[in-house]
Amino acid sequence: MSTSGSTQHRVSIALDARSYDIVIGTDVFALPSTYEALPDATCAALVSNHTVAPLYAQQLAKALGERYRKVIQVVLPDGEAHKSWQTLNLIFDALLAAGCDRKTTLFALGGGVVGDMTGFAAACYMRGVPYVQVPTTLLAQVDSSVGGKTAINHPMGKNMIGVFNQPLLVVADIATLTTLPQRELIAGLAEVIKYGPIADGAFFVWLEANLDALLARDPAALAHAIKRSCEIKAWVVSQDERETGLRAILNFGHTFGHAIEAGLGFGTWLHGEAVGCGMAIAAQLSANVGLIPAAYALRIQRLIERAGLPVRAPALGVQRYQQLMSVDKKAEGGETRFVLIEAPGKAVLRGVPDADVATVLRACGA
Amino acid sequence: MSTSGSTQHRVSIALDARSYDIVIGTDVFALPSTYEALPDATCAALVSNHTVAPLYAQQLAKALGERYRKVIQVVLPDGEAHKSWQTLNLIFDALLAAGCDRKTTLFALGGGVVGDMTGFAAACYMRGVPYVQVPTTLLAQVDSSVGGKTAINHPMGKNMIGVFNQPLLVVADIATLTTLPQRELIAGLAEVIKYGPIADGAFFVWLEANLDALLARDPAALAHAIKRSCEIKAWVVSQDERETGLRAILNFGHTFGHAIEAGLGFGTWLHGEAVGCGMAIAAQLSANVGLIPAAYALRIQRLIERAGLPVRAPALGVQRYQQLMSVDKKAEGGETRFVLIEAPGKAVLRGVPDADVATVLRACGA
């Protein structure tokens, strides 16, 4: 494996004592030097899933073996449907069975589900051990592995149970994307596309011009998209770690998206697919309430559609959508709030009258 | 209900943005004014158990009703055996079913188990909501409600899964101790006694002189014991919130105690009973390794025994004890460490050779 040092980028998240770097590069996750600045510990626990572990766990375990006396592996079932207490407990069971102490470092090797659960487990194991994100999906590299949101799902809502817990390091290796199924690459593009309308009008234009290269997995295009996405996310998270304000803009499309996921049953649509559709609805809603011209909403929808993401909402019925959205974490004092686009590259969080929500849902096929 | 303003004490825990007060008094928990400085919220969730709720939940709910538009009650099964994922999920289920938003304030009304689970649930519900401790047992008032340690048990070890999460306020109402069974009062005295040997030689002497008054529930004696205990705990926690050093001294007797609890099955002995016995063993160990004179160990053991706490270890076998202690959170790199007394009012955390541990366990009946 080559070091490919020249292709490495570093994006820093500034959070005082909890600051950390995102390393973006090719063939970096299996290099022992990638982990050399981590705190000393006797034990490392590599958490992955049944899909990713056969591809990359051995390489990572080998690199970790040069630093840690004991490296244990925990392999979880794959998929959003397993983002539950039961699966989380598999991590605790393995850590305790191996006698892992409170300095043990966890490594999340996989997509968003593995990352969210490993980060949550790290927060709770013996009241907190450190962890590292090694995301292997585009979605995790540009979004879920960065920013310290960890969670599991509850039957009544996605990501309802979790904590903010920043990793020590994120290692986004573009080489791991070569094995990613196209459906998952496309789902990841939903979160990439998100950063344009909410924070960077120029990036949105770049995406319109480079979408085909991204779909063809052009490494340079992917590297730029990941880096720019991480920079925007780092900027947002550094200002509002615990989502008391600004950070909510990262949930563009997510209120509708979460309702789709919960309504269809977690795992039926991929998270990114639901978010893609949710952004299409939210863009339309932004135009309907007069924030942006209909033409800009259409450009957003067009880009989502070109990526291969759904833009029509599953027909669950408007009432069911509204019921599912009422438990959303952004709801406060009974009102559901939405991230809307108020100008290219600028988002706002605001309450919307139920009637307007119903109208846009109906128009989008709900 | 009288306000009894003259009997109120306040002890502050200094933790920067996470600082808070412990209010110690008689007939204070049911006064709306006790909660007037808490942040605004629409919803309050009162979490209690089947034993405590019938005694005090209505009074607390009434006081909260003057501040919060919606007050929901969650009543958990009582006892250490229920400090589990399953019980924790009852809190999440209730919060989500009631549509509680991310500003909801949780109130833990009960003993250590209710407090630990409510604090953990508050940390995890929608990635964190605030909570208040209203401890109704002596043990919770002097120890578990203060300092932000929250957890549930794992079959392989007590308190293995949890987080540090400081409450906004602790309300220790001495009036609630009038309904406490004598066995639980005695269990609470174990944690009171603890503070003498580890931090305050004069308080230890005071306890020797006032133990009978405490056992007879003399309100003035209880108030002093609770206040002094909270002051010592506040001093320790303010210096070492996350137990990277000093705070470990609060676990005097707990390494042996946790092994007793796990070995007998959680709930067979009360936590305080196991800690009382654990302190008797740890005092002996401190003398055996030459830190304190045998006579001082005997004084500690004598006070524990006079309180009505066990000083002989359950006969689980020395090997079983050592196995159970090897997963203790204070273990690091394979070595189990113990809190030992090195002088009256002064504790130290150190590793002890297995042979010395075996000797003291055998001598104490293990």
Side-chain angles (χ1 to χ4, degrees):
Chain A
M1 173 168 288
S2 78
T3 58
S4 304
S6 59
T7 66
Q8 269 197 42
H9 302 285
R10 269 183 191 260
V11 176
S12 294
I13 309 244
L15 288 167
D16 301 320
R18 297 181 305 289
S19 298
Y20 58 96
D21 281 354
I22 307 160
V23 175
I24 302 160
T26 301
D27 298 335
V28 286
F29 85 92
L31 295 176
S33 59
T34 300
Y35 309 102
E36 66 195 2
L38 294 174
D40 286 333
T42 306
C43 182
L46 193 174
V47 182
S48 190
N49 67 34
H50 284 297
T51 307
V52 175
L55 298 169
Y56 303 113
Q58 202 182 339
Q59 284 168 275
L60 179 55
K62 187 157 172 283
L64 299 179
E66 301 203 5
R67 255 198 125 263
Y68 302 92
R69 204 188 313 156
K70 176 153 70 172
V71 179
I72 69 161
Q73 294 193 30
V74 188
V75 182
L76 307 177
D78 188 12
E80 187 77 33
H82 297 286
K83 197 171 160 181
S84 63
W85 285 126
Q86 290 75 21
T87 311
L88 193 71
N89 265 320
L90 297 178
I91 304 176
F92 298 134
D93 294 347
L95 292 170
L96 286 165
C100 292
D101 66 24
R102 59 195 275 190
K103 289 191 170 173
T104 302
T105 305
L106 271 54
F107 291 79
L109 176 72
V113 174
V114 165
D116 277 16
M117 282 200 292
T118 304
F120 191 23
C124 299
Y125 185 64
M126 295 191 176
R127 297 202 185 91
V129 295
Y131 79 108
V132 171
Q133 293 274 17
V134 187
T136 61
T137 67
L138 180 59
L139 187 139
Q141 291 183 355
V142 299
D143 186 34
S144 62
S145 73
V146 174
K149 277 195 179 180
T150 76
I152 56 173
N153 297 329
H154 184 281
M156 290 184 64
K158 189 176 155 72
N159 293 334
M160 283 293 160
I161 315 301
V163 296
F164 288 95
N165 183 31
Q166 300 296 341
L168 293 180
L169 176 70
V170 179
V171 181
D173 195 322
I174 292 162
T176 64
L177 300 182
T178 55
T179 50
L180 193 66
Q182 190 69 4
R183 184 181 170 192
E184 294 215 34
L185 184 89
I186 288 169
L189 284 175
E191 300 281 6
V192 174
I193 290 170
K194 173 183 81 177
Y195 292 108
I198 65 165
D200 186 347
F203 184 52
F204 181 70
V205 173
W206 183 90
L207 286 168
E208 290 183 315
N210 290 275
L211 184 68
D212 295 337
L214 292 169
L215 286 166
R217 306 186 192 213
D218 175 78
L222 283 172
H224 177 75
I226 294 166
K227 177 167 166 285
R228 188 69 200 119
S229 297
C230 287
E231 283 168 352
I232 294 169
K233 180 137 191 189
W235 168 76
V236 171
V237 170
S238 297
Q239 288 178 82
D240 179 22
E241 182 182 10
R242 295 182 71 91
E243 196 168 316
T244 55
L246 176 70
R247 185 167 176 166
I249 67 167
L250 297 175
N251 286 318
F252 177 51
H254 283 60
T255 305
F256 292 114
H258 286 170
I260 292 170
E261 287 184 271
L264 291 176
F266 291 117
T268 309
W269 280 21
L270 296 177
H271 174 65
E273 292 167 343
V275 167
C277 182
M279 291 192 295
I281 304 171
Q284 189 60 53
L285 184 57
S286 306
N288 287 1
V289 300
L291 291 172
I292 50 169
Y296 189 63
L298 209 63
R299 268 177 69 190
I300 297 172
Q301 292 168 333
R302 179 84 189 99
L303 185 63
I304 294 166
E305 196 169 14
R306 273 181 60 208
L309 291 160
V311 292
R312 295 290 294 173
L316 304 170
V318 168
Q319 214 179 357
R320 178 77 178 124
Y321 273 91
Q322 292 194 305
Q323 179 198 10
L324 288 163
M325 292 190 298
S326 71
V327 298
D328 187 88
K329 290 191 291 300
K330 286 177 292 305
E332 219 165 74
E335 187 191 52
T336 304
R337 298 185 299 165
F338 294 86
V339 181
L340 301 179
I341 306 303
E342 56 177 1
K346 192 155 189 309
V348 65
L349 179 68
R350 51 175 264 187
V352 176
D354 280 353
D356 291 340
V357 177
T359 301
V360 79
L361 280 167
R362 252 188 304 272
C364 292
Chain B
M1 173 166 286
S2 79
T3 59
S4 302
S6 60
T7 66
Q8 267 198 42
H9 303 285
R10 268 183 193 260
V11 176
S12 294
I13 309 244
L15 289 167
D16 302 319
R18 297 181 304 290
S19 299
Y20 58 96
D21 280 355
I22 307 160
V23 176
I24 302 161
T26 301
D27 297 335
V28 286
F29 86 92
L31 294 177
S33 59
T34 300
Y35 310 102
E36 65 195 3
L38 295 174
D40 286 333
T42 306
C43 183
L46 194 174
V47 182
S48 191
N49 67 35
H50 285 298
T51 307
V52 175
L55 299 169
Y56 302 113
Q58 203 182 338
Q59 283 168 275
L60 179 55
K62 186 157 172 284
L64 299 179
E66 302 204 5
R67 256 197 125 264
Y68 301 92
R69 205 190 312 157
K70 176 152 71 172
V71 179
I72 70 162
Q73 294 193 33
V74 188
V75 182
L76 307 177
D78 188 12
E80 186 78 31
H82 297 285
K83 198 171 159 182
S84 63
W85 285 127
Q86 289 75 22
T87 311
L88 193 71
N89 265 320
L90 297 178
I91 304 177
F92 299 134
D93 293 346
L95 292 170
L96 286 166
C100 292
D101 65 24
R102 59 195 276 191
K103 290 192 170 173
T104 301
T105 305
L106 271 54
F107 291 79
L109 176 72
V113 173
V114 165
D116 278 16
M117 283 200 291
T118 304
F120 190 24
C124 299
Y125 185 63
M126 294 191 178
R127 299 202 183 91
V129 295
Y131 79 109
V132 171
Q133 292 274 16
V134 187
T136 61
T137 67
L138 181 58
L139 187 138
Q141 291 183 356
V142 300
D143 186 34
S144 62
S145 73
V146 175
K149 277 195 179 181
T150 75
I152 55 173
N153 297 328
H154 184 281
M156 290 182 66
K158 189 177 154 71
N159 292 335
M160 282 294 160
I161 314 301
V163 296
F164 289 95
N165 183 30
Q166 300 296 341
L168 292 181
L169 175 72
V170 179
V171 181
D173 195 321
I174 292 161
T176 64
L177 301 182
T178 56
T179 49
L180 193 67
Q182 190 68 4
R183 184 181 171 193
E184 293 213 36
L185 184 89
I186 289 168
L189 284 175
E191 300 280 6
V192 175
I193 290 170
K194 174 182 82 176
Y195 292 107
I198 65 165
D200 186 348
F203 184 52
F204 180 70
V205 174
W206 182 90
L207 286 168
E208 289 183 315
N210 290 275
L211 185 68
D212 295 337
L214 291 170
L215 286 167
R217 305 187 192 212
D218 175 79
L222 282 172
H224 178 75
I226 294 165
K227 178 167 165 283
R228 188 70 199 116
S229 297
C230 287
E231 284 169 352
I232 294 169
K233 180 137 192 188
W235 169 76
V236 171
V237 170
S238 296
Q239 287 177 82
D240 179 22
E241 181 182 9
R242 295 181 71 91
E243 196 169 317
T244 56
L246 177 69
R247 184 167 178 166
I249 68 168
L250 297 175
N251 286 318
F252 177 51
H254 284 60
T255 305
F256 292 114
H258 286 172
I260 291 170
E261 288 184 271
L264 292 176
F266 291 117
T268 308
W269 280 22
L270 296 178
H271 174 65
E273 292 168 343
V275 167
C277 182
M279 290 193 296
I281 305 170
Q284 189 60 54
L285 184 57
S286 306
N288 288 2
V289 300
L291 290 172
I292 51 170
Y296 188 62
L298 209 62
R299 271 177 68 191
I300 296 172
Q301 291 168 333
R302 179 83 189 99
L303 186 63
I304 294 166
E305 197 168 14
R306 274 180 60 209
L309 291 160
V311 292
R312 296 288 295 171
L316 303 170
V318 168
Q319 214 180 353
R320 178 76 178 126
Y321 273 92
Q322 293 194 304
Q323 179 199 7
L324 287 163
M325 292 189 299
S326 71
V327 297
D328 187 87
K329 289 189 292 299
K330 285 176 291 305
E332 216 163 79
E335 188 190 52
T336 303
R337 297 185 301 165
F338 293 87
V339 181
L340 300 178
I341 306 303
E342 56 176 2
K346 193 158 188 309
V348 64
L349 179 68
R350 49 175 266 187
V352 175
D354 279 352
D356 292 340
V357 177
T359 300
V360 80
L361 279 167
R362 251 189 304 273
C364 293

